Amino acid sequence: EAQVTQNPRYLITVTGKKLTVTCSQNMNHEYMSWYRQDPGLGLRQIYYSMNVEVTDKGDVPEGYKVSRKEKRNFPLILESPSPNQTSLYFCASSVTWESLGYTFGSGTRLTVV
Amino acid sequence: QKEVEQDPGPLSVPEGAIVSLNCTYSNSAFQYFMWYRQYSRKGPELLMYTYSSGNKEDGRFTAQVDKSSKYISLFIRDSQPSDSATYLCAMSNSGANSKLTFGKGITLSVRP
């Protein structure tokens, strides 16, 4: 089944403890992206990647890092999480950066206490 | 003025009703318009997309774009309880996912 898989689905952590949210797609998509979704603010893009080893900032990149060493994987790294990063995170992919329409993962609900 | 405005809702309708969901936007360069549907505890899924002005129909769903008014709509005919979800509009000026701008979403509930 073609899909974007995120792990974990739920995560509670403490301020300052480094964490990684994994994202993997099995569709050979070139383009991948991370979003966070917050009530009243909607979906906001954190980082995106047009292909392997090519990443760029979205609208809210502060406090996050990403890497794209392989086409299928696009992990989101929080080096020192803070409570304002408590959110619902989505990974998404599409065939190319020019293609319209993402395939989204099921989300990771992160709580930082 | 925000680039994309979407009625905040929530919206509750009886089964069988015609539903109209709307977004307005300020960036006249937007040319590609999409609607995503998001079920509870799931990621958004692409429902429909249109290019420039006009209508597009897919089963019970019709997407409408009026570029002169900077206004897009999604109509759902004969609404079903399974249509209960959050609907997000999204748009782009370049046809590139890297530049997609989303509305905040509206939650629709269809009562049996």
Side-chain angles (χ1 to χ4, degrees):
Chain A
E1 182 189 351
Q3 59 186 359
V4 176
T5 303
Q6 293 179 229
N7 280 298
R9 290 293 309 274
Y10 301 92
L11 178 60
I12 301 174
T13 190
V14 296
T15 299
K17 186 176 180 181
K18 180 179 179 179
L19 66 92
T20 299
V21 183
T22 64
C23 174
S24 180
Q25 50 92 5
N26 62 0
M27 297 166 282
N28 202 37
H29 284 175
E30 288 184 354
Y31 181 85
M32 298 184 76
S33 182
W34 276 103
Y35 280 82
R36 60 179 290 175
Q37 187 175 40
D38 301 288
L41 296 175
L43 277 167
R44 294 180 293 167
Q45 190 177 51
I46 303 170
Y47 269 95
Y48 63 93
S49 169
M50 293 191 181
N51 214 325
V52 177
E53 302 291 2
V54 180
T55 63
D56 207 349
K57 296 177 181 178
D59 297 319
V60 289
E62 293 75 23
Y64 303 96
K65 281 176 58 176
V66 293
S67 69
R68 187 93 182 272
K69 294 185 172 59
E70 309 162 279
K71 201 170 189 179
R72 62 184 293 127
N73 296 323
F74 190 44
L76 179 69
I77 302 155
L78 284 73
E79 295 267 1
S80 182
S82 62
N84 65 11
Q85 292 179 297
T86 292
S87 186
L88 180 58
Y89 291 87
F90 288 103
C91 180
S93 73
S94 68
V95 177
T96 68
W97 71 281
E98 297 155 305
S99 308
L100 288 176
Y102 290 123
T103 300
F104 280 87
S106 293
T108 295
R109 184 164 292 282
L110 172 66
T111 301
V112 183
V113 298
Chain B
Q1 182 184 10
K2 290 188 169 46
E3 269 201 306
V4 178
E5 301 264 18
Q6 187 170 4
D7 293 339
L11 182 62
S12 180
V13 302
E15 184 174 353
I18 297 174
V19 177
S20 171
L21 308 174
N22 311 298
C23 287
T24 59
Y25 62 94
S26 59
N27 187 346
S28 58
F30 285 146
Q31 296 187 72
Y32 299 86
F33 304 92
M34 280 152 274
W35 287 94
Y36 280 82
R37 177 176 61 194
Q38 185 178 12
Y39 290 116
S40 181
R41 289 186 289 277
K42 294 286 190 183
E45 59 177 332
L46 182 66
L47 194 58
M48 296 189 73
Y49 87 87
T50 53
Y51 170 71
S52 195
S53 285
N55 291 359
K56 185 173 183 179
E57 191 173 318
D58 183 2
R60 296 184 295 109
F61 297 88
T62 299
Q64 194 172 79
V65 175
D66 182 348
K67 289 190 71 180
S68 62
S69 302
K70 297 192 183 68
Y71 191 88
I72 71 170
S73 299
L74 178 70
F75 297 97
I76 307 174
R77 289 183 300 280
D78 187 25
S79 56
Q80 303 293 309
S82 59
D83 295 327
S84 297
T86 297
Y87 290 81
L88 303 103
C89 61
M91 39 198 87
S92 167
N93 59 345
S94 62
N97 270 321
S98 61
K99 300 297 181 188
L100 266 185
T101 302
F102 283 87
K104 292 179 184 177
I106 182 170
T107 298
L108 170 67
S109 175
V110 181
R111 307 186 302 272

